[in-house]
Amino acid sequence: MSELFDRIDALVASRSPLPPPTERKRLRAAHGLTLDEVAAALDVRRATVSGWESGKTEPRPPEREAYARLLSKLAELYPSDPNSATPATDTAAPQTVTNAPAPATEPRPESASPAADVTPQEHTQLRPAGAAAPVASPRPARTARPSRRPAARKAAPANTPTDGAEPRFADGPLAVVDVDADGQVLAYCTGGLVLDVPAKSIPSLVEWTLKEAKLGQPKLSGPGKDADPLIVLTPSALERYGLPVVLTDEERLAGRIPEGHKVIKQLVRAEWKLTKRGFGPWARIYRPAQGSERACVQLCIPSWNALDTRHWGEAGQLPPAELARVLGVYASRVMTPRGSTAVTGLELMTALHPPTRASEPDADGKRHSEHNPGSLGKDPVDCAPCEAPDGHPLLNDLPRFHVRGPGEKLFEEAYDWARPMTDGECTLRHLVGIDVNMAFAAGANGLTVGLGAPTHVKAPVFDAKLPGSWLVDLSHVDLSRVKVAKDTWAELDASLLPSPFTPKGERPEGPAWYATPTVAYAVELGYDVTPIEAYVRYENGRYLDGWYQRLRDAFLATMADLGVHADLPPADFLAAMDGYKERDPELAIVVSAVKATVKGGLGKLRERPRGEGWRPGEPWRALSRPTWRPDIRAAVISRTRINLHRKIVKHAAFTGQYPVAVLSDCVVYAADGTSPLDFLPYRDGKPLPGGFKLGINPGLVKHEGTQSVLWGEEVRERFNAPELNLARYIKDGTVTDVDNGE
């Protein structure tokens, strides 16, 4: 009898009702499931599931019953949209959707108007992914095209901010354009939204983006400008629009496709323009502004290496919806990318402090453009000769091949210092590295920097509140006796400490150029200073405060999404940091990009020539920017290095422990245990005042890595480098490209 019942159950299962193919795809996408995940659960091939969703094949027992059960459960979670023409359920036999979109027409000849390819009726919203999914869904199903945009939206996936507050930018800051398996061009936006793209050429794609897509981002500052929409093109989209999937070696070196490419000809015929950088990985396509109306679209092409793997990891390889999520989170918390993370970091400064603003109405009631106080203005200013990098036009009078020394050149850079371990340190078991979170961002916080041109002063009186570059002799500062608090001096072993005045940690031997924070620290340590001359900036302000705050908030919000919150107790913080990237690899990419935006943006303040046939003594393109300010970069690096040295001194004075190596924002100590808590002096959960503190906030420290003392000694002996900087390799212990100074 039981066998008979089994046969009856199998017969019923063989006719388990299934929704139509488009609904199957919608339900899977709504829950954030991939084809591979469904295939693995049902023990079938990925292509089999794809065939079920396209209607080419139908599942058979025993998979059919399980597949029907899966879709039934998903249908309970994500009921069909009443505006959709697709029924929610179906019989065993597949049905034909009678209101499916009509096949695309043949592409118009290049001479046709690109705007004619775009009609308001063709711009439709497809169903967003379900709110329960922790990440954006890969490819939501394509439903029948409604005649107008549906009024209701489903909530965005968790941790996926969108900028839908303004109707102009209802669809978010950006879209990833891709071609699906059916040949349909889709635009994946933030929040799981998917748009049907009717454009059949790059010019018509630009027109569609500006007129129909509702993409963009509100300005970050009152006098500023709204962010232009960003369109990311996947390889399939590149093929559809006649662009190469990858650049040739020649194109890659040039950073663009040739001027004679057919797509560029299409843009020219449609009266679109490209910036001087041409059509490259980050192309800007625009028409001259008409009054306050801008017409500009930014393109990002990951397969042309637009997303540097050093900063964006594997973002360029993500499915469209997931890439839209990564870039969307970054855009909402930092800004819409304008190029590399370095370019975006610099553009963020300008977006927060636009160079001009509208004046008060004049006698005729008209407003005019005027300087925006607190900004760098719209015109570049010359740096001081000591601040100029080699090859700058200001140095044309120097003899050829002349090498400038510390008395001629401001050299404020991050630490790269190490020393041999003492006998006592060799008896300990471990080397523990700690790393300062967002160190250079913290160095920018509250820093007064010059806004205008420098003024040359002879024999000035040092003023710690006046930003500038000072020629002063600090060789008399003795680290063996320093002031660590008001009226409190400490005796230290200066041979075990790096000098705070040079990147290599060597004690200065005579007059040298320093930024204001470095000279101020010498005074803080209890020593008099007598500058010989200086280039000071009387027009100054805290230009980077807003920049720091936005990047800090972006960093902390994303780390909180990854389970690492501010103000965690030390042990809980270390536990939360352990494996945080694996909790959501996409958000971990955002963290990496935010940190790269800090360092890259500061580096752009002293951008060097980038080919272009430049010769020493000639100006290069970056010099024409008001944001080419090597003095601001030097001040931030100076303050960052001084902040780190201050903590090192406080720690040494209190514990008698000295660093073995320092590299930029990483410090290595010898300890008996493997954790930072084994050597950081916490008392009742409170850290040493002014010393190192564990936490995620910028300026606090995290665990960078632990290796054995034997590892450190073996590495130095193997490479015959007794002062090899172990901080460079402390994270995973892998040692490559060793430079022992020979």
Side-chain angles (χ1 to χ4, degrees):
M1 185 66 69
S2 60
E3 293 181 0
L4 178 61
F5 286 168
D6 289 342
R7 289 197 297 271
I8 295 298
D9 290 343
L11 184 62
V12 172
S14 69
R15 297 294 186 270
S16 296
L18 293 172
T22 54
E23 180 69 1
R24 302 170 197 173
K25 190 174 182 180
R26 182 192 76 82
L27 291 171
R28 173 181 61 78
H31 202 60
L33 298 175
T34 66
L35 289 171
D36 290 326
E37 289 173 324
V38 175
L42 298 175
D43 197 21
V44 296
R45 296 186 302 115
R46 182 181 187 276
T48 301
V49 180
S50 179
W52 297 344
E53 291 188 354
S54 66
K56 295 178 180 178
T57 60
E58 282 294 299
R60 296 182 178 181
E63 291 85 6
R64 185 184 181 98
E65 182 180 16
Y67 187 47
R69 180 177 177 82
L70 168 66
L71 296 176
S72 175
K73 294 292 185 183
L74 293 178
E76 294 175 5
L77 294 173
Y78 311 104
S80 61
D81 192 328
N83 292 326
S84 173
T86 303
T89 58
D90 193 9
T91 60
Q95 290 184 355
T96 302
V97 182
T98 58
N99 57 348
T105 59
E106 290 296 319
R108 295 175 183 266
E110 292 183 8
S111 59
S113 169
D117 289 339
V118 185
T119 60
Q121 290 77 16
E122 287 183 306
H123 173 251
T124 60
Q125 173 187 341
L126 299 185
R127 203 177 314 278
V135 297
S137 61
R139 287 186 178 176
R142 188 174 73 256
T143 63
R145 291 178 181 168
S147 60
R148 55 189 300 180
R149 181 187 306 274
R153 291 169 177 248
K154 290 190 177 181
N159 304 327
T160 308
T162 61
D163 291 300
E166 289 200 32
R168 294 177 300 148
F169 310 129
D171 294 342
L174 56 89
V176 179
V177 175
D178 185 52
V179 181
D180 69 5
D182 298 328
Q184 182 67 33
V185 183
L186 302 175
Y188 294 80
C189 307
T190 57
L193 173 69
V194 182
L195 304 176
D196 192 358
V197 181
K200 298 174 177 63
S201 67
I202 289 295
S204 60
L205 176 64
V206 174
E207 294 276 3
W208 172 82
T209 301
L210 293 172
K211 295 181 179 180
E212 299 295 328
K214 293 190 176 183
L215 296 174
Q217 191 174 36
K219 57 189 177 183
L220 298 179
S221 175
K225 300 175 181 177
D226 295 330
D228 298 320
L230 174 65
I231 295 294
V232 184
L233 298 177
T234 66
S236 61
L238 293 173
E239 291 181 339
R240 171 61 61 91
Y241 292 123
L243 290 165
V245 174
V246 295
L247 298 179
T248 65
D249 291 342
E250 183 178 353
E251 292 168 342
R252 182 175 50 81
L253 290 174
R256 66 187 75 186
I257 58 177
E259 295 295 326
H261 194 280
K262 65 177 182 179
V263 170
I264 297 182
K265 292 179 180 178
Q266 291 173 356
L267 290 168
V268 171
R269 278 195 290 270
E271 299 182 344
W272 288 104
K273 297 180 179 295
L274 292 164
T275 58
K276 291 182 179 179
R277 77 172 79 175
F279 202 120
W282 290 94
R284 295 187 70 77
I285 303 173
Y286 72 100
R287 285 180 181 142
Q290 302 294 326
S292 61
E293 293 296 322
R294 290 170 56 82
C296 183
V297 173
Q298 173 96 51
L299 297 185
C300 169
I301 306 177
S303 65
W304 294 5
N305 298 319
L307 301 176
D308 192 328
T309 55
R310 294 173 298 175
H311 310 139
W312 290 101
E314 300 303 317
Q317 308 300 319
L318 290 174
E322 295 172 22
L323 178 56
R325 181 194 179 214
V326 169
L327 294 176
V329 173
Y330 179 90
S332 66
R333 292 176 177 174
V334 180
M335 70 180 299
T336 303
R338 292 288 303 273
S340 67
T341 50
V343 169
T344 304
L346 196 69
E347 291 290 338
L348 180 62
M349 297 180 195
T350 303
L352 294 168
H353 287 286
T356 59
R357 68 178 183 182
S359 67
E360 293 297 324
D362 59 16
D364 298 327
K366 295 182 179 180
R367 296 179 183 269
H368 306 277
S369 176
E370 66 177 12
H371 174 70
N372 183 27
S375 75
L376 298 181
K378 62 179 181 179
D379 299 316
V381 297
D382 282 335
C383 62
C386 63
E387 298 163 354
D390 294 337
H392 192 281
L394 286 176
L395 308 177
N396 279 347
D397 293 338
L398 292 178
R400 192 180 183 188
F401 304 122
H402 175 74
V403 178
R404 294 185 293 163
E408 301 171 280
K409 180 181 180 180
L410 178 69
F411 193 63
E412 294 283 11
E413 298 294 341
Y415 266 130
D416 186 356
W417 170 88
R419 62 169 175 82
M421 283 185 276
T422 65
D423 292 342
E425 288 166 341
C426 288
T427 64
L428 302 176
R429 299 175 59 190
H430 302 286
L431 295 171
V432 183
I434 52 176
D435 180 79
V436 182
N437 294 311
M438 302 271 284
F440 294 99
N445 181 31
L447 177 65
T448 301
V449 300
L451 300 178
T455 300
H456 188 212
V457 184
K458 287 284 189 178
V461 176
F462 177 69
D463 183 353
K465 296 181 180 179
L466 191 59
S469 301
W470 309 78
L471 180 62
V472 59
D473 189 351
L474 299 181
S475 60
H476 63 289
V477 177
D478 184 3
L479 292 181
S480 62
R481 187 173 187 273
V482 298
K483 185 185 290 186
V484 293
K486 185 178 181 180
D487 301 325
T488 303
W489 290 74
E491 304 291 335
L492 302 174
D493 188 343
S495 66
L496 302 179
L497 286 171
S499 167
F501 309 126
T502 62
K504 291 293 185 181
E506 301 162 343
R507 185 168 179 169
E509 297 179 352
W513 286 98
Y514 303 101
T516 297
T518 302
V519 185
Y521 186 56
V523 176
E524 179 185 326
L525 291 176
Y527 293 86
D528 295 328
V529 297
T530 308
I532 302 168
E533 61 177 306
Y535 288 90
V536 296
R537 288 170 169 82
Y538 294 110
E539 182 188 355
N540 54 66
R542 292 167 59 161
Y543 174 72
L544 295 173
D545 274 11
W547 183 80
Y548 159 77
Q549 291 161 9
R550 187 157 181 88
L551 290 166
R552 173 204 62 194
D553 293 348
F555 175 70
L556 292 180
T558 311
M559 289 301 296
D561 289 340
L562 288 165
V564 185
H565 300 273
D567 302 324
L568 284 174
D572 293 345
F573 166 70
L574 292 175
M577 286 294 293
D578 187 19
Y580 77 92
K581 294 182 179 179
E582 283 70 36
R583 292 176 200 140
D584 191 328
E586 293 172 15
L587 289 183
I589 292 174
V590 177
V591 171
S592 173
V594 170
K595 293 193 289 187
T597 303
V598 173
K599 291 186 177 180
L602 293 172
K604 277 282 186 180
L605 292 170
R606 199 189 72 146
E607 184 177 0
R608 301 302 308 277
R610 305 179 67 182
E612 303 171 352
W614 175 82
R615 294 182 180 180
E618 297 177 349
W620 57 92
R621 184 182 301 180
L623 299 186
S624 63
R625 297 193 321 246
T627 49
W628 192 84
R629 293 295 301 272
D631 57 297
I632 296 180
R633 173 186 177 274
V636 173
I637 293 176
S638 164
R639 191 163 186 246
T640 303
R641 194 181 67 246
I642 294 307
N643 285 346
L644 185 58
H645 194 274
R646 185 183 291 112
K647 290 180 172 63
I648 290 172
V649 166
K650 292 285 180 70
H651 185 86
F654 188 81
T655 67
Q657 298 170 338
Y658 295 84
V660 171
V662 184
L663 181 69
S664 187
D665 47 11
C666 177
V667 188
V668 176
Y669 284 91
D672 267 329
T674 60
S675 167
L677 288 174
D678 292 317
F679 69 92
L680 292 182
Y682 273 83
R683 182 176 295 172
D684 298 328
K686 297 182 179 180
L688 170 68
F692 296 108
K693 178 182 178 181
L694 288 166
I696 197 58
N697 284 288
L700 306 189
V701 300
K702 66 178 184 296
H703 183 204
E704 179 69 2
T706 297
Q707 304 297 330
S708 68
V709 167
L710 290 177
W711 165 85
E713 289 296 276
E714 188 273 332
V715 166
R716 286 177 164 178
E717 182 177 348
R718 188 197 330 159
F719 293 100
N720 191 28
E723 295 185 4
L724 178 70
N725 195 328
L726 299 175
R728 193 183 308 275
Y729 316 106
I730 195 70
K731 189 166 190 175
D732 60 10
T734 303
V735 182
T736 57
D737 301 326
V738 170
D739 179 5
N740 60 11
E742 297 181 358

